[in-house]
Amino acid sequence: MSALKLDPGLDPAAAKPLFARFGRLHLPALLATPDAQRLAEALKRAPWSRTFLADGKGYDVPRADYAVTPEEVRREVEAAIARGGRTGFQFDFDTWRISDFLEAGQRQGGAVAELEAAYDLLNSPAFLDFVRKLTGDERPAYCDAQATRYRAGQFLTAHDDELAGKDRLYAYVLNLTPGWRVEWGGLLLFHDADGHVAEAYAPKFNTLNIFRVPQWHSVSQVASYVDQDRLAITGWIRGSKPG
C-alpha cells in the first residue's frame, strides 16, 4: 500500500483570502484522484458502529451487534434518538474512530489500512503546512480523525464544536461519496444568528470542507428514500497533540 498524497495542484495561497473573509471553505480536489478512490473503497469496508445519544448519554454500538439487538430494545433506541432530535443536541450516524485506535497504539492494517493512511496524511508535514498556509495560522499541530457514514434518516443537529481542553482550531470534512445529489440531504449547513441557513455545502467527492471553531453548523437529515451512503473522514485540527 502506497502513502496517500495531496493533489499536486493545490494552491492554499489562492484560497487564503476567501477563508480569511468567511472563516470556512469548500475546496475541491484535495487528494490525488486515485488516492481518493482508494480511500472511498476502504470506507465501504470499515467496521462501523452506530453512534448516538440516548437520554443524554453517548453510545457507539457495533453494527453487527445492533443487527441482533432485540426488537423492543431497538424501538426504545429509535424513540430516544427522535426525542433528542426534537428537544436538543442529537446525532445519529455511523463511525469508526480512527485516531482513537492509533493514539492507543492499535494500528490494525488489513481492511482499515487505508483509513490509517488517511490519519497519517492528515498529520503529515504536507497537510499541516497546507492548513497553516490556507488559514494564516501557525498553530495547527495535529488532526484527529473518524470515518463517518450517514444513511437514510441519519443526521447531526446544530452545535459549534467548542469543547474546553480540546484545543480545537478548525473542523474539517473530507468528503468521499461519488455521485451524491443535493436533494438527498446530508448537507453541511452553517447557521446564522437569525436562525437561517447562511451557507450549505454538498458532500461532493474528494472535497475538503474546513471551517473555524466555534461556528454553528449541522448536517441535514439524509432523505428516507436514499439507498446510498454519505461517506467522509471528519475531525478537528488542533493546536496540540493529545496526551
Side-chain angles (χ1 to χ4, degrees), residues 78-188:
E78 300 299 336
I81 291 171
R83 280 197 305 274
R86 288 192 297 268
T87 59
F89 177 58
Q90 179 60 287
F91 52 84
D92 177 26
F93 58 90
D94 293 346
T95 184
W96 190 68
R97 300 187 184 277
I98 305 168
S99 52
D100 284 4
F101 287 97
L102 294 185
E103 289 164 15
Q106 299 174 17
R107 188 175 290 265
Q108 301 175 36
V112 298
E114 298 283 3
L115 305 183
E116 294 169 341
Y119 171 92
D120 294 338
L121 174 65
L122 292 165
N123 285 284
S124 69
F127 182 76
L128 291 172
D129 188 54
F130 165 81
V131 171
R132 295 180 194 117
K133 290 178 179 177
L134 175 69
T135 61
D137 185 347
E138 292 298 319
R139 294 176 298 166
Y142 171 76
C143 295
D144 58 30
Q146 64 172 322
T148 63
R149 178 177 72 174
Y150 286 73
R151 309 182 106 174
Q154 294 188 305
F155 62 93
L156 171 62
T157 62
H159 62 292
D160 69 2
D161 279 344
E162 193 164 42
L163 190 61
K166 292 295 185 179
D167 205 9
R168 294 172 177 173
L169 306 175
Y170 307 95
Y172 74 89
V173 183
L174 172 53
N175 295 292
L176 291 158
T177 308
W180 194 263
R181 290 167 52 172
V182 68
E183 64 267 31
W184 290 354
L187 307 179
L188 176 58

